[in-house]
Amino acid sequence: MAEAERIIGTPDIPEAAGAGPEQSDGENGTAAAQADAAAQPRGKRRIAVLFGVAALAYALDLISKMIVVAKLEHHEPIEIIGDWLKFEAIRNAGAAFGFGEAFTIIFTMIATIVIVVIARLARKLYSLPWAIALGLLLGGALGNLTDRIFRSPGVFEGAVVDFIAPKGFAVFNLADSAIVCGGILIVLLSFRGLDPDGTVHKD
């Protein structure tokens, strides 16, 4: 029996022990691949939320402006809550809430840049709150950019339709509201340390 073992050879114990780490590395690689595979559908869902929120904000803004232009422009303001809140149609060549009317083209360029940046950022988006915030920003920017392009006095110089007029405050529209809400949400998420990719950091 001993002679047979000598001829056949005994197992190499160190090599057998060395197989463990190789298997562990393989398992780690498999786990990483599974995590990546699981993250991809989650990322796609967040992107869907972003563009879904953007589409809703854009549609509400567009429809509201069409109604205002057709029914309210060149008419007396409609009182919603006495003098505290009215619907009053105006054309705003400036930024949100009527600021900077002399820089219409610049604001148009800024809105275009914001849209491009959000679209690029969407590829790394894994956070639902960030998806909602960016969707609001995107929908609002698209809403006002549509006015800049298609309304008078000309392409990229068009005046935005505003109609929500609180007492003692600037007149604005639903696109402005979406932009402000999205901006506030982004500030809150940043204070909490939540990044668009879903990671949380603490300074």
Side-chain angles (χ1 to χ4, degrees), residues 43 46-47 50-51 54 111-125 130-131 134-135 137-139 141-142:
R46 300 299 182 261
I47 293 174
L50 187 158
F51 288 110
T112 304
I113 293 171
V114 168
I115 293 169
V116 172
V117 170
I118 293 174
R120 291 177 62 86
L121 185 60
R123 296 180 299 175
K124 300 179 181 179
L125 186 63
W130 269 95
L134 292 177
L137 281 180
L138 180 59
L142 285 171

Side-chain angles (χ1 to χ4, degrees), residues 52-198:
V53 171
L56 178 61
Y58 178 72
L60 291 176
D61 179 68
L62 185 63
I63 293 171
S64 65
K65 288 174 179 176
M66 292 173 62
I67 295 174
V68 166
V69 170
K71 302 295 184 180
L72 188 57
E73 200 167 35
H74 308 303
H75 291 77
E76 291 296 320
I78 298 176
E79 294 186 352
I80 305 302
I81 308 177
D83 291 335
W84 292 97
L85 179 63
K86 298 179 180 179
F87 284 168
E88 180 180 3
I90 67 168
R91 295 294 182 110
N92 171 25
F97 308 111
F99 298 117
E101 293 188 3
F103 303 99
T104 305
I105 295 180
I106 294 177
F107 292 130
T108 302
M109 293 174 60
I110 292 174
T112 304
I113 293 171
V114 168
I115 293 169
V116 172
V117 170
I118 293 174
R120 291 177 62 86
L121 185 60
R123 296 180 299 175
K124 300 179 181 179
L125 186 63
Y126 292 97
S127 167
L128 180 60
W130 269 95
I132 295 173
L134 292 177
L136 289 171
L137 281 180
L138 180 59
L142 285 171
N144 284 339
L145 183 61
T146 300
D147 284 1
R148 304 286 188 197
I149 295 174
F150 295 105
R151 296 194 187 277
S152 60
V155 178
F156 299 121
E157 297 181 351
V160 174
V161 176
D162 290 334
F163 62 93
I164 304 173
K167 183 178 181 180
F169 195 71
V171 184
F172 59 97
N173 56 42
L174 295 184
D176 296 333
S177 301
I179 291 172
V180 171
C181 291
I184 292 174
L185 183 54
I186 286 175
V187 171
L188 294 176
L189 293 173
S190 299
F191 273 121
R192 293 188 59 186
L194 180 61
D195 292 333
D197 61 1

Side-chain angles (χ1 to χ4, degrees), residues 11-34:
D12 192 342
I13 301 300
E15 290 182 3
E22 292 182 5
Q23 185 177 4
S24 177
D25 290 342
E27 290 176 352
N28 290 337
T30 302
Q34 291 175 346

